[in-house]
Amino acid sequence: MTSPDRAALVFVGPMGAGKSSIGRKVARELGVAFTDTDTMIVREHGPIPALFAAQGEEHFRSLERSAVVAALAAGGVVALGGGAVLDPHTRADLAHHRVVLLTVAPEIVKARIGGANRPLLSGGDAVARWEQIYAQRRALYDEVADITFDSSIGHVSAVAAAIARWARENDVTTDSRPTPEASA
């Protein structure tokens, strides 16, 4: 659990919604550290597709949970992997933070996920699989979110500016102390 003075501004949403790119821009605009939990996992354990192949999704989710705990404790702006909300402990932890849900339209996400090596989208129609996963997780995203922004509309810089403006207007605390896991 994180104390309110160490609250993070957390990005959740489906694969390809722009959590990392928009989160990084928001952190820069707010002048705080940015942490991406998927980047933390890759840095410490290797490529996510290799983790899925060698040890399975359950092992990956365990690593993801540890990364989420560390990232939330650091504060600042945090981008979670699309499936992080599947863990009930993560959802409970998010109640102590401000959470932004980024959504994206399927016709937009097609270009964003094309060519990406995403284990849950392999084999078959990636967009159809993405839509299925998003539908399964949507209620969990809505459960933890304080506000929703659609990254399909406008340039990512405009979306980031709108989120930063919302954070300032709502006095969102994003205390952060740079950590080795933080990425710029």
Side-chain angles (χ1 to χ4, degrees), residues 111-183:
R112 293 182 185 177
I113 63 174
N117 192 358
R118 298 176 187 257
L120 294 178
L121 300 181
S122 63
D125 182 344
V127 175
R129 181 72 182 122
W130 177 89
E131 288 179 301
Q132 178 186 24
I133 291 168
Y134 184 36
Q136 291 168 345
R137 296 175 180 173
R138 181 61 197 247
L140 298 176
Y141 294 139
D142 289 337
E143 174 188 323
V144 300
D146 292 303
I147 192 164
T148 301
F149 286 87
D150 185 350
S151 70
S152 307
I153 303 168
H155 191 272
V156 295
S157 293
V159 176
I163 294 168
R165 188 170 41 257
W166 170 81
R168 285 189 195 102
E169 288 170 359
N170 291 280
D171 196 29
V172 174
T173 302
T174 54
D175 177 36
S176 72
R177 296 180 187 112
T179 64
E181 298 85 17
S183 60

Side-chain angles (χ1 to χ4, degrees), residues 29-101:
E29 194 156 328
L30 296 176
V32 298
F34 171 73
T35 306
D36 180 309
T37 57
D38 282 349
T39 299
M40 290 173 67
I41 294 167
V42 169
R43 195 173 290 144
E44 294 177 28
H45 305 283
I48 292 171
L51 289 170
F52 265 76
Q55 298 174 32
E57 184 175 359
E58 186 176 337
H59 177 73
F60 170 78
R61 295 294 172 206
S62 173
L63 298 174
E64 181 176 56
R65 174 68 185 139
S66 296
V68 167
V69 169
L72 294 178
V77 175
V78 177
L80 301 186
V85 297
L86 296 171
D87 187 291
H89 299 291
T90 293
R91 293 194 306 276
D93 288 349
L94 290 176
H96 304 283
H97 302 276
R98 297 306 293 266
V99 180
V100 173
L101 167 58

